[in-house]
Amino acid sequence: MTPIGRDEAQGRAAEELLRPEYQKEDWIAYVLRIGRQFLGDLLDGTGSSAGGIVAAIVVGLVILALAGLVFWALRKAPLRRAAAAGSIFGTRTMTAAEHRALAERLAAEQRWGEAVQERLRAIARDLEERALVDDMPGRTADELAAEAGTALPAFAGELAAAARSFDDVTYGGMLGTPAAYATMTSLDQRLKAARPVPA
């Protein structure tokens, strides 16, 4: 047997790896192949009787329904995450006082964007605690401004501006500023003393 050179060995190895038994099957093709094989085995096992064929069809429909439910759930998950990401509050429930204290700590550290976010969360929680707005999980800053502006019309414009400021630092990539935080703090303090307009 004559020795083979490096290039020839690489060529033979590449040819070997191109053989069908080495090809990796993607997961969709794998699931479809297993499903077809299962249904084929089921039909073979039931024979040609009418009851067997009906049973095979029912089992196939159940499998398709389950696959559809899984697909639907997987498509809805990103929408739920996106809705949660657009909300004012995070996952932990805090009181208005806790949000204010956190906002003050962040401002002391000159983390203005986060301080602005926490001050608006303090405003939202305070309005909920005082029953001026409904406690609504997943509420956006704009929804808060609209509902609070109805209860406190004198503050409607400032609430809308506060919502824009929150959105700018949260989603718009803008940096918070001491001025933006001071404006949000002033609004928070005045809202604490505000009384709703009688219906």
Side-chain angles (χ1 to χ4, degrees), residues 86 116 120 140-142 161-174:
V116 164
L120 185 72
T140 66
D142 291 328
R164 279 192 303 277
S165 181
F166 177 89
D167 287 344
D168 286 345
V169 298
T170 306
Y171 314 112
M174 296 182 68

Side-chain angles (χ1 to χ4, degrees), residues 79-103:
L79 296 176
R80 285 193 296 271
R81 283 195 298 271
S87 66
I88 294 174
F89 298 110
T91 55
R92 181 172 169 252
T93 302
M94 297 168 61
T95 65
E98 289 173 322
H99 282 294
R100 286 186 186 104
L102 179 55

Side-chain angles (χ1 to χ4, degrees), residues 51-74:
I53 292 174
V54 169
I57 290 172
V58 168
V59 169
L61 290 174
V62 168
I63 290 171
L64 286 174
L66 289 174
L69 284 173
V70 168
F71 180 73
W72 178 78
L74 290 174

